[in-house]
Amino acid sequence: MILVTGGAGFIGVNFVLDWMALSGEPVVNLDKLTYAGNPRSLAGLETDDRHVFVHGDIGDRALVGELLSRHRPRAIVNFAAESHVDRSIHGPEDFIQTNVVGTFHLIDTVRGWWNALPEPEKSAFRFLHVSTDEVYGSLGPSDPPFTETTAYSPNSPYSASKASSDHLVRAYHHTYGLPTLTTNCSNNYGPYQFPEKLIPLMILNAVRGRPLPVYGDGMNVRDWLYVGDHCSAIRAVLSKGRPGETYNVGGWNEMPNLTIVHTLCALLDEMRPDEAGPRTRLITYVKDRPGHDRRYAIDAGKILNEMGWRPAETFETGIRKTVRWYLDNLAWVEDVASGEYRRWIEANYGSRGTEGAPETCP
């Protein structure tokens, strides 16, 4: 079996659901259930004995140690992280606690347990750490894409905390021999994403007829990766990756945020027409966030050359699937968009001139 941390969050949920659909191997799913963790997303697995959900913190060494001893996972896939840049600007301490301190407690507990394993379990074990392209900083318009050897240059508390966790994972391989793998992905989109991020926020606001807030001039460029493709890349790295190595995972889809918003408007106008007219009328420009990185781009040549992995979805096919999913699951969206989320939006964006400004990172 494998242990997945953060498996009730956006990418973790998609990974667990895909894993259960494609593999007969059991999963222990450890999640703290912070605001963006949604157990409703896992409702379809409630009667599946292969999925064991555990409510807990990766920083709880006693709990993690007990899970390792009881279940003896052959691999750990670590999704657990605070991941919203704007939240990190307003409250960086949570990001340090989860992404740095939490990762340290997790990997150090794993190291102690792993070190006592008999062969061949010890050699077969893998610790896969899921990270972000934000650790590399910002690119100029003509700069080459990030590679696995690009120097780290994080520009937000979020990306700095993820860079720190990446360094810890690297150090535990080189110092202790723990067989680690790291993936750095570009912006994910798809089902079950919390609606503080750009794409689900735009869909939700457009359906409601509310402003579609775009930071600055809307020309910040990101590489967009369908979450199902990201999950398949993680499975490939877990199966074929070389311990101690890093693999960049990208969608080969560089696009400005404004283009994304126009694409979403066109799809929503097609799938659910609005009597008031084209939804581009709702686009509203708001004050940019501090230190907003201008461009990210991923060179995913290493994972292609070593494992033959490439995205199955183009942006056109992936974004159409995504819009369709949200329209078919508005009850899920409305449920997670209440309470804590609404208080966050009002506190963070009330002074920017509109409600619900978008996040642009994975």
Side-chain angles (χ1 to χ4, degrees), residues 24-350:
E25 190 172 11
V27 172
V28 173
N29 185 350
L30 174 64
D31 197 290
K32 190 178 179 180
L33 294 182
T34 57
Y35 76 95
N38 186 358
R40 276 192 61 185
S41 304
L42 297 163
L45 300 178
E46 288 178 348
T47 60
D48 194 328
D49 292 339
R50 297 173 301 153
H51 178 254
V52 177
F53 181 79
V54 179
H55 181 200
D57 191 336
I58 60 171
D60 185 337
R61 296 177 75 123
L63 173 61
V64 171
E66 192 275 330
L67 292 175
L68 294 172
S69 297
R70 185 198 308 176
H71 297 285
R72 300 179 69 90
R74 70 171 182 87
I76 294 172
V77 183
N78 180 35
F79 294 100
E82 299 281 350
S83 65
H84 188 270
V85 172
D86 286 319
R87 286 180 183 267
S88 81
I89 293 170
H90 287 267
E93 185 172 357
D94 287 344
F95 290 73
I96 302 304
Q97 287 300 319
T98 298
N99 299 353
V100 183
V101 178
T103 299
F104 162 70
H105 285 306
L106 173 66
I107 199 168
D108 197 57
T109 303
V110 170
R111 176 185 66 87
W113 170 80
W114 167 82
N115 204 44
L117 285 177
E119 294 291 358
E121 285 180 76
K122 187 175 183 180
S123 296
F125 178 79
R126 296 292 182 268
F127 182 99
L128 194 158
H129 175 66
V130 180
S131 191
T132 171
D133 59 358
E134 294 220 23
V135 298
Y136 298 123
S138 185
L139 293 170
S142 59
D143 289 340
F146 301 131
T147 70
E148 290 80 0
T149 59
T150 299
Y152 276 28
S153 184
N155 290 321
S156 70
Y158 161 63
S159 55
S161 68
K162 287 299 290 183
S164 298
S165 68
D166 291 6
H167 291 323
L168 281 170
V169 172
R170 175 185 170 85
Y172 268 64
H173 172 73
H174 286 275
T175 300
Y176 302 111
L178 186 69
T180 64
L181 301 157
T182 298
T183 57
N184 293 87
C185 70
S186 58
N187 277 38
N188 279 216
Y189 67 96
Y192 299 107
Q193 189 170 29
F194 193 76
E196 66 191 353
K197 299 298 179 78
L198 177 66
I199 287 174
L201 176 61
M202 293 297 108
I203 295 171
L204 181 60
N205 279 14
V207 169
R208 290 171 166 174
R210 303 179 71 174
L212 306 181
V214 175
Y215 276 145
D217 62 3
M219 297 308 292
N220 299 77
V221 174
R222 300 293 184 263
D223 174 66
W224 294 91
L225 173 67
Y226 187 67
V227 68
D229 284 327
H230 187 194
C231 293
S232 72
I234 292 170
R235 292 194 300 273
V237 172
L238 188 61
S239 173
K240 304 174 184 176
R242 292 178 287 126
E245 291 294 314
T246 294
Y247 297 90
N248 282 350
V249 184
W252 305 102
N253 286 306
E254 277 192 71
M255 217 168 294
N257 291 339
L258 188 59
T259 300
I260 299 295
V261 177
H262 277 274
T263 300
L264 291 170
C265 288
L267 286 170
L268 287 165
D269 289 345
E270 171 195 330
M271 296 179 185
R272 186 168 293 193
D274 186 346
E275 293 180 358
R279 288 182 170 88
T280 50
R281 75 186 191 280
L282 300 172
I283 295 174
T284 306
Y285 295 92
V286 300
K287 182 180 177 181
D288 210 349
R289 74 160 175 243
H292 195 177
D293 289 339
R294 192 63 172 173
R295 174 177 169 246
Y296 303 146
I298 282 279
D299 180 344
K302 181 177 178 179
I303 190 173
L304 171 63
N305 293 333
E306 290 193 12
M307 303 173 199
W309 178 89
R310 65 171 67 245
E313 302 290 344
T314 65
F315 184 75
E316 290 73 18
T317 62
I319 198 65
R320 180 173 287 274
K321 286 182 178 180
T322 300
V323 172
R324 183 77 270 162
W325 187 89
Y326 280 98
L327 290 178
D328 290 342
N329 292 274
L330 285 175
W332 180 93
V333 180
E334 294 288 350
D335 179 63
V336 300
S338 61
E340 167 65 17
Y341 168 71
R342 295 309 316 158
R343 288 190 292 274
W344 159 251
I345 289 293
E346 290 159 8
N348 190 57
Y349 297 116

